Amino acid sequence: MKPFAELRILELAGSPAGAFAARLFSDCGAGVTRLARPGSSRERVAFERALERCDVVIESEAPGPLSPLADALELPALIRVRISPFGSSGPYARFRSNEFTDDAISGHTLLSGEREREPLARPGRIAHHQAGAHAAIGALAAL
């Protein structure tokens, strides 16, 4: 039996970071349901049903994706993990990001390339995988 066989995760499809966090849980045996942001009333009903059965919700969509759904997410036993590039408040909270921007802001681009030339992007989605792994660890700590 896998360690998280009883755990139910709801991933609200968004960034690769959220998908990676959900994959880590799935690899350990958790039941993972992936939903797109509910738009129609029928999708909203499916969302609310999935929400009733889950232990953890992983949000990683663009900034402010669930403001109309925020009340539904305020369940006392629900662990809510939010992954966003610049946090949920402050001057950059509504900005989108990509792997290269994340690398530049964190200083990783200084470690690649030559001083006199433009910085080089790192291969893969390292920043997204790091964010997803840390999100999964945070959710586990909250359990």
Side-chain angles (χ1 to χ4, degrees), residues 27-111:
D27 288 349
C28 291
V32 176
T33 302
R34 186 171 204 220
L35 293 177
R37 180 179 183 210
S40 69
S41 59
R42 193 163 102 186
E43 291 171 341
R44 168 105 186 192
V45 169
F47 166 76
E48 289 175 353
R49 281 190 189 140
L51 195 60
E52 291 170 359
R53 295 186 306 267
C54 74
D55 304 300
V56 177
V57 174
I58 300 172
E59 301 173 60
S60 65
E61 208 174 274
L66 295 172
S67 49
L69 304 172
D71 292 341
L73 291 170
E74 298 302 324
L75 300 172
L78 183 66
I79 296 169
R80 186 175 174 187
V81 177
R82 296 189 74 198
I83 304 169
S84 66
F86 302 109
S88 57
S89 63
Y92 302 113
R94 302 197 63 70
F95 283 31
R96 293 179 182 264
S97 185
N98 59 41
E99 186 76 20
F100 190 73
T101 302
D102 297 341
D103 283 348
I105 288 175
S106 68
H108 286 135
T109 54
L110 291 173
L111 304 174

Side-chain angles (χ1 to χ4, degrees), residues 123-143:
R125 296 184 172 210
I126 297 169
H128 291 291
H129 287 136
Q130 288 174 334
H134 284 99
I137 291 168
L140 289 173
L143 289 170

